[in-house]
Amino acid sequence: MVSAADRIGRPSVAVAAVLLAATMQRPADVRALTTANVKAGVLHLTQFKTGVALSFNLHPVAADRLGHIGNNGAPLILNERCGGAYTERELERAWCEVREGAATDHPSLTGGVPIGELEDPLYAGALNMSHLRRTGMVWAAEGGASIADICSVSGHTLENGMKVLEHYLPRQRFLANRAISKINMLRAPSLEDMGQVLAA
């Protein structure tokens, strides 16, 4: 999506995609972000739906994509066609335009791959902006973040955050392979080994 957005002259959609995944927020909250929400590399926002106030460092990829943003209150996702903020419908149209462009190389983005040919049924259907919130959560978990860490960014309760990850993480081969690599089947630990671990 990011490459396709850059290629077809829609860098705002690339910014949206990166922010959606890197902040784990809903599209409405990301669309409403302005330069006033960022201070010294820290993103501050209050979620519309829940009223939860959040503050966290911008991911380096998001900060790099935004570049120097200043403090003039301009939208972080600036519609290059009008020079102002996107409406909800305008951003959805721009997203669909970029998704269609990206689907030439990745047909699963528009649901263009038959279910029987998909490695994972979660890729069925078109990629919507709201999907990237969960994607960010899964990527954070794959990176070793705890459920509490993830929910402190996404704004979910621990229970709801766990439900999201319970649904999506069991299908992640990366995590399964990491778990398998940690199994020591060569020998059982001795009492001395376990004592050293507990002492540490």
Side-chain angles (χ1 to χ4, degrees):
M1 287 294 290
V2 170
S3 298
D6 288 338
R7 185 175 67 245
I8 67 174
R10 280 291 203 175
S12 59
V13 175
V15 170
V18 170
L19 286 175
L20 286 162
T23 66
M24 304 178 216
Q25 300 303 310
R26 296 173 184 87
D29 291 317
V30 170
R31 186 173 52 83
L33 293 174
T34 71
T35 58
N37 292 102
V38 182
K39 293 180 179 63
V42 178
L43 182 66
H44 307 271
L45 72 121
T46 300
Q47 293 180 330
F48 289 129
K49 184 175 178 180
T50 64
V52 173
L54 301 166
S55 293
F56 48 85
N57 289 337
L58 271 176
H59 189 281
V61 172
D64 183 60
R65 175 56 65 166
L66 290 170
H68 177 71
I69 60 172
N71 59 0
N72 60 358
L76 292 185
I77 304 173
L78 191 64
N79 185 343
E80 52 276 306
R81 302 266 166 96
C82 71
Y86 273 103
T87 65
E88 180 181 3
R89 187 68 191 125
E90 287 170 342
L91 186 54
E92 285 175 1
R93 285 184 183 134
W95 180 268
C96 291
E97 176 188 348
V98 170
R99 186 178 60 202
E100 290 296 323
T104 58
D105 295 325
H106 305 282
S108 65
L109 291 174
T110 56
V113 176
I115 297 290
E117 294 179 23
L118 288 173
E119 284 186 35
D120 190 325
L122 288 175
Y123 294 123
L127 176 69
N128 296 319
M129 287 185 284
S130 60
H131 296 156
L132 291 183
R133 183 179 197 207
R134 295 185 298 259
T135 298
M137 294 173 71
V138 169
W139 286 348
E142 287 176 346
S146 71
I147 186 68
D149 296 336
I150 293 166
C151 291
S152 69
V153 175
S154 71
H156 285 94
T157 63
L158 292 176
E159 180 182 356
N160 287 338
M162 192 64 195
K163 285 178 183 173
V164 170
L165 293 177
E166 281 179 344
H167 183 72
Y168 291 97
L169 281 179
R171 298 180 160 112
Q172 299 301 313
R173 185 178 298 167
F174 174 84
L175 290 179
N177 289 343
R178 188 166 73 183
I180 293 298
S181 73
K182 292 179 185 265
I183 297 173
N184 182 352
M185 296 184 74
L186 300 178
R187 66 176 181 86
S190 67
L191 290 176
E192 182 181 342
D193 291 338
M194 288 188 280
Q196 288 174 354
V197 170
L198 292 173

